[in-house]
Amino acid sequence: MTKKLGVVTIGQAPRTDVGPILEKYIGDKADIIQVGVLDGMTKEEIKARLYPGKNDYVLTSRMVTGEPVTMSREKIAPIMQQRINSLEDAGCKQILVLCTGVFHGLTTRKALLIEPDQIITPTIAAIVKNRKLGVIVPLEEQRRSLLEKWRKYGVFPVFAVASPYQFSKDSFEKAAEVLKSENVDIILLDCMGYVEEFKRIVEESTGLSVILSNALMAKIVSEMI
């Protein structure tokens, strides 16, 4: 029987941007079943129901059309749990959350829930040690909340901003230059929406090692299936 890997994105499924990276490392080991928190919703509905409030933890993803969308973690959490439940009901024994944001209280009955923040952050902290970490994030508003998650591991990154959902080569080159000018030693692309093309741009601009979050997770998950 073919194994099933559940993948829940905070945007809409299928993720045609990230999907090929998952297929590259996992596709021959399991059927990948994608669901999205925003499936079936219009952009107007999302803005009315899920747009971040003043003190909310801000997340960003994309529609199936490729349009970017911004939402509140607190408001999408109940829908996220519903999607996880549906994947478990469909027979998925491993479920990957396709987001590097920090979530609290997500659960499964028996399936293994794989949350990137709980894996990527401590792993990168262990690699960096006393070196200087550069982190590229999609939104300016995310700097403060993301700094908090790194502080727990004794890491104080330098941040730069470039959106994977409103792509321009120039924005990634500028972000790379910001980090290079701060003399960082290694760079993390801290969003599941970044793809290999963006990694290459940053590598070529800085000459540094660049870690792609979704590829790292795909490689780890491939060892678990």
Side-chain angles (χ1 to χ4, degrees), residues 37 50 59 72-84 103-106:
V37 167
L50 304 174
L59 296 168
S72 158
R73 175 188 64 184
E74 290 74 15
K75 292 175 182 176
I76 70 166
I79 309 171
M80 173 79 85
Q81 186 61 61
Q82 291 170 10
R83 299 294 188 259
I84 290 169
F103 288 90
H104 302 290
L106 298 177

Side-chain angles (χ1 to χ4, degrees), residues 82-98:
Q82 291 170 10
R83 299 294 188 259
I84 290 169
N85 294 345
S86 71
L87 288 170
E88 189 162 16
D89 290 341
C92 297
K93 291 185 169 54
Q94 290 101 7
I95 299 171
L96 171 64
V97 174
L98 201 65

Side-chain angles (χ1 to χ4, degrees), residues 158-215:
V158 177
F159 291 99
V161 177
S163 173
Y165 306 123
Q166 293 175 303
F167 170 69
S168 75
K169 185 178 180 183
D170 184 60
S171 68
F172 279 85
E173 289 175 338
K174 285 181 178 177
E177 286 304 314
V178 167
L179 298 180
K180 188 175 181 180
S181 70
E182 292 285 346
N183 297 312
V184 303
D185 298 297
I186 191 167
I187 297 171
L188 172 69
L189 298 181
D190 195 9
C191 174
M192 286 293 177
Y194 294 121
V195 295
E196 289 166 334
E197 179 186 358
F198 308 159
K199 172 183 164 81
R200 284 194 294 272
I201 293 169
V202 178
E203 285 175 335
E204 289 170 3
S205 297
T206 62
L208 297 172
S209 297
V210 178
I211 298 172
L212 188 59
S213 292
N214 50 39

